[in-house]
Amino acid sequence: MEVLQNIQLTKDVFSLKLGGEFSYEKVQAGQFVNILIGDGKTHPLRRPISIASCDVEERSLTLIHRVVGVGTHWLSELKQGDRIDLMGPLGNGFPLPDENSKVLVVGGGVGIPPLYELCKQLSKLNCYIDIILGFRDEDDLFMVKEFEKYGNVITCTEDGSEGVKGFVTCALVNDEEWTTLYSCGPLPMLRALKEHFSHKEIAGYVSLEERMACGVGACYGCTVETKDRTATKRVCKEGPVFSWEEICL
Amino acid sequence: MNVNLGVNVGSLELRNPVMPASGCFGYGKEYAEYYSLNQLGAVVVSGTTLEPRLGNKTPRVTEVTAGMLNAIGLANPGIDAVIQDELQWLAKQDVPIIVNVSGDSVEDYCRVVEKVCASGLAQAIELNVSCPNVALGGIAFGVDKKVLRNLVESVKAHCTLPLIVKLSPNVTRIQDLAVAAAEGGADALSLINTLIGMQIDLKARKPVLANRTGGFSGRAIKPVAVRMLHDVAKEVDLPLIGMGGIYSGKDAIEFVMVGASAIMVGTANFTDPFACPNIIKEIAEWMEREGIKNLEEIRGCAL
């Protein structure tokens, strides 16, 4: 694919817009692409990055990622017109609810981007969307305005420099009657959400992150144990989105 | 010019010398979404044990310069499920199947091998005596000459298919283990399995992999693998299957020149899902350019 635009959103979060040949029509919110870093000779493992937005009419894909290592650093330095090799869309995305459902979307840090495409899809279904976005601090904020197009957004920061002080669960004071929770973020956040809603009737879908080698289900590198701990599921193949009832968070 | 890519590994006839290495190709279904498996010389399925195994904790994989470390821990659903859910399907793909077998005891190995042979679905067995990522089940059998000879001898008595023994590079003299496997009755040898490595996360101040150590594979290990294949070919008169960092047709030819009859492709599948078909094409192109009709003409020429 070809780089259409590469924008820095915060000191370490970048938004990469890609165009060119891709199965845009097939994209489900929550799926990812697996990107070759350079020519792959020094970096043999592709980097899985979630799809933040897919524009079928414009034929473009937006990936939003945080620079955490050499692979994402390479991505952050791409220029308009550069070509990259990626596989996808891969994995299974978020199952969508019935029309007009009242849903809660919770994202933490670099887990936020795939929830953007989800909100677009939920909005098409006329869902009422409450959105909680958790960041480290005010300088870490990104995509908040974009999410505000689709729902009622509460932001949280760990240091209280913006919005509610504390983790995303601190923003859950008056629980509404949400039918479904969609979430992506650090494991402790997903666990806290599950605990918070343990006595409520709510379907929960979480998107997991794990180090991967193949990205297609062949290497069994990115597994997560099922709830009864008798089997495993592959984050890249059966996931990255799972019902929190089926896996051991 | 007509190039004949067909090779024989002992009694095993393959349409070409390229097969995905065990553990890098699952049971074939995932890559069958990218190309038809009947292009391959054979499919070598993931390490299979008697009972299901969940494998190690994650992180199980990490990248290193020009390679990777893995510590999957022989995750597999157990031989009965593998036969039922995987080999039944794979047997319909018109490609020879090699089942990689691992175990915690001689008895386990023998029972798995018996089940594979009885299923009638596989064309060969690859004995994994070199998995570096589990306490038992492999490496313990692959680093001691007597233990290895005894295991191969016992398995051979239960095995009606060609028996390939996969050697560990984590020994002082790999050729000694090759001789032991040959004495035990191996029909062929495959080498090398992964080298044992470690990578440290500076921020966390501990190893990246939950298992601490992992098997090192990829481009970076190719010179070690070529040297080891060379050393084994010098001392053992068995068909050899070479692997370790093969990414191109030329990489594959290096192994052939030091005596390999066929080759396996591991990490390259992750970098490029079309690695195996590309390598097959590149071997044919190289042969054509060099005026070689059959790989036998150059096999072992660098020994």
Side-chain angles (χ1 to χ4, degrees), chain B residues 148-162:
Chain B
L148 180 61
R149 188 187 305 121
N150 174 45
L151 173 72
V152 176
E153 225 168 61
S154 305
V155 167
K156 183 74 181 168
H158 295 81
C159 190
T160 54
L161 293 169

Side-chain angles (χ1 to χ4, degrees), chain A residues 149-167:
Chain A
K149 288 187 285 187
Y150 298 112
N152 169 36
V153 179
I154 300 175
T155 53
C156 308
T157 52
E158 288 172 34
D159 66 353
S161 55
E162 174 76 36
V164 177
K165 183 176 181 189
F167 295 116

Side-chain angles (χ1 to χ4, degrees), chain A residues 36 40-47 87 90 210-214 216-221 223 225 229-232 234 237, chain B residues 23-27 30-31 33-34 54 57-68 72 208 219 247 267 270-271 273:
Chain A
L36 190 70
K41 286 187 172 167
T42 316
H43 303 294
L45 299 189
R46 288 164 179 263
R47 300 302 195 268
M87 294 162 65
L90 299 171
E210 188 55 75
R211 280 174 189 259
M212 295 176 186
C214 69
V216 297
C219 75
Y220 294 79
T223 56
E225 285 185 11
R229 293 181 181 275
T230 60
T232 58
R234 296 163 292 184
K237 192 74 177 175
Chain B
C24 300
F25 210 72
Y27 299 92
E30 293 78 18
Y31 287 100
E33 292 178 23
Y34 291 84
L54 298 183
K57 296 281 177 224
T58 59
R60 294 176 172 186
V61 292
T62 184
E63 184 180 273
V64 295
T65 305
M68 65 174 289
I72 307 298
V208 173
R219 282 178 204 276
Y247 266 76
T267 310
F270 305 153
T271 315

Side-chain angles (χ1 to χ4, degrees), chain A residues 21-33:
Chain A
E21 203 181 320
F22 190 75
S23 305
Y24 300 100
E25 296 80 6
K26 287 189 184 165
V27 171
Q28 307 161 20
Q31 287 188 301
F32 67 97
V33 292

Side-chain angles (χ1 to χ4, degrees), chain B residues 2-292:
Chain B
N2 271 338
V3 165
N4 178 10
L5 282 177
V7 296
N8 291 344
V9 178
S11 60
L12 200 59
E13 289 177 21
L14 308 177
R15 56 172 75 97
N16 67 61
V18 178
M19 36 198 150
S22 177
C24 300
F25 210 72
Y27 299 92
K29 276 182 190 150
E30 293 78 18
Y31 287 100
E33 292 178 23
Y34 291 84
Y35 58 87
S36 61
L37 301 183
N38 65 9
Q39 296 179 50
L40 300 169
V43 167
V44 191
V45 305
S46 284
T48 303
T49 53
L50 190 59
E51 302 294 337
R53 290 180 57 100
L54 298 183
N56 293 325
K57 296 281 177 224
T58 59
R60 294 176 172 186
V61 292
T62 184
E63 184 180 273
V64 295
T65 305
M68 65 174 289
L69 305 179
N70 89 81
I72 307 298
L74 290 174
N76 81 96
I79 185 58
D80 292 337
V82 166
I83 290 172
Q84 194 58 42
D85 304 332
E86 309 292 350
L87 299 189
Q88 296 280 3
W89 175 86
L90 190 52
K92 295 184 188 114
Q93 308 308 308
D94 180 34
V95 64
I97 302 173
I98 300 176
V99 179
N100 182 286
V101 172
S102 199
D104 287 340
S105 65
V106 175
E107 290 72 33
D108 278 9
Y109 275 101
C110 293
R111 287 185 60 193
V112 179
V113 166
E114 271 177 358
K115 282 171 183 263
V116 175
C117 294
S119 76
L121 298 169
Q123 279 64 50
I125 301 276
E126 181 178 55
L127 210 58
N128 183 357
V129 291
S130 45
C131 175
N133 296 326
V134 291
L136 286 166
I139 195 83
F141 293 96
V143 295
D144 183 290
K145 286 180 278 183
K146 277 185 194 151
V147 173
L148 180 61
R149 188 187 305 121
N150 174 45
L151 173 72
V152 176
E153 225 168 61
S154 305
V155 167
K156 183 74 181 168
H158 295 81
C159 190
T160 54
L161 293 169
L163 182 64
I164 304 161
V165 176
K166 186 169 182 175
L167 299 178
S168 171
N170 303 303
V171 294
T172 309
R173 275 176 51 86
I174 194 170
Q175 52 272 52
D176 293 348
L177 281 301
V179 168
E183 287 170 357
D187 297 302
L189 303 174
S190 57
L191 63 148
I192 59 176
N193 204 321
T194 54
L195 296 145
I196 301 174
M198 185 186 280
Q199 184 187 41
I200 305 298
D201 177 340
L202 298 193
K203 216 168 179 183
R205 302 188 176 190
K206 61 184 178 93
V208 173
L209 297 178
N211 187 55
R212 303 182 69 85
T213 60
F216 177 28
S217 64
R219 282 178 204 276
I221 75 164
K222 196 187 75 183
V224 178
V226 172
R227 186 269 295 177
M228 287 190 165
L229 199 109
H230 166 274
D231 291 353
V232 169
K234 285 257 187 203
E235 284 198 27
V236 178
D237 194 22
L238 278 182
L240 304 177
I241 303 170
M243 80 193 96
I246 295 177
Y247 266 76
S248 68
K250 286 180 180 172
D251 291 339
I253 297 294
E254 283 196 52
F255 284 84
V256 175
M257 287 189 173
V258 290
S261 297
I263 60 102
M264 290 181 184
V265 178
T267 310
N269 292 294
F270 305 153
T271 315
D272 177 6
F274 296 98
C276 287
N278 287 343
I279 290 167
I280 294 165
K281 201 168 131 252
E282 288 166 12
I283 292 173
E285 287 167 359
W286 183 87
M287 290 169 71
E288 192 128 344
R289 271 202 309 279
E290 298 291 319
I292 286 156

